[in-house]
Amino acid sequence: MVLKRHGGRPRSPLAALAAASVLVLGPVLAGCGDDDTADAPSPTPPAVTNEPVDPAAAKAEITKNWTAFFDPKTPTAEKVNLLENGEQMQPVLSAFAGDPNAAMTSAKVKGIEFTSPNDANVTWDLLVGGAPALPDSKGTAVLQDDTWKVSVKTLCGLVQISGATVPGC
């Protein structure tokens, strides 16, 4: 049997078989070598995630700390530990501690969305006397020193809304 090549010249069946075997066996043979890693599976790249290792625990801690931070019964010394860069922001916390309106405020966390393993957007209501004064407020929480804290950005945003001028914001 004689096969015709493109261009019209005859090709022997043996040449066609040789060409086919090179096409089929070439990639298989290329994989064979004395490289010891040829049989090792390729490492899987780590999954990129916007969540901490344990999102449920992080959400629970954010909710607990956020609520405690805005609770007027929480001592200022404890609030320092619940605020990002709390030591540096102590003058702001002290200013709020003496405000009679702050004594009636609290917070209710409504939603948490992680933007990275160390940052989260928080949707919450600022309550005054139990009633929403700033419903569906947006704030951020940050993981600092292994603790989820209210961000300085959130606190300073509230200071701006109040019209007060406080050192640190």
Side-chain angles (χ1 to χ4, degrees):
M1 168 192 219
V2 176
L3 301 174
K4 293 235 178 187
R5 256 197 285 191
H6 186 27
R9 293 191 314 193
R11 177 188 295 187
S12 74
L14 189 55
L17 183 59
S21 67
V22 167
L23 290 175
V24 171
L25 294 176
V28 173
L29 294 174
C32 295
D34 49 12
D35 184 359
D36 291 335
T37 62
D39 293 335
S42 305
T44 304
V48 177
T49 180
N50 282 342
E51 294 187 335
V53 174
D54 187 346
K59 284 182 180 184
E61 184 180 346
I62 290 168
T63 301
K64 176 179 153 276
N65 291 351
W66 199 278
T67 303
F69 180 79
F70 287 100
D71 185 339
K73 295 177 193 134
T74 302
T76 301
E78 189 177 326
K79 289 184 181 193
V80 166
N81 298 323
L82 301 175
L83 178 64
E84 175 188 24
N85 303 328
E87 290 292 329
Q88 298 162 355
M89 298 301 293
Q90 199 155 6
V92 177
L93 294 174
S94 296
F96 273 114
D99 186 333
N101 291 324
M104 299 184 342
T105 63
S106 59
K108 178 182 178 188
V109 174
K110 297 171 76 176
I112 298 167
E113 181 182 325
F114 295 102
T115 56
S116 81
N118 301 319
D119 299 283
N121 290 330
V122 180
T123 302
W124 61 293
D125 290 345
L126 179 67
L127 308 172
V128 176
L134 293 173
D136 296 322
S137 296
K138 304 292 182 195
T140 54
V142 296
L143 184 62
Q144 184 179 61
D145 302 324
D146 296 322
T147 301
W148 281 98
K149 301 180 179 188
V150 174
S151 71
V152 168
K153 179 177 147 184
T154 299
L155 181 62
C156 289
L158 289 173
V159 169
Q160 285 180 333
I161 290 171
S162 75
T165 303
V166 180
C169 283

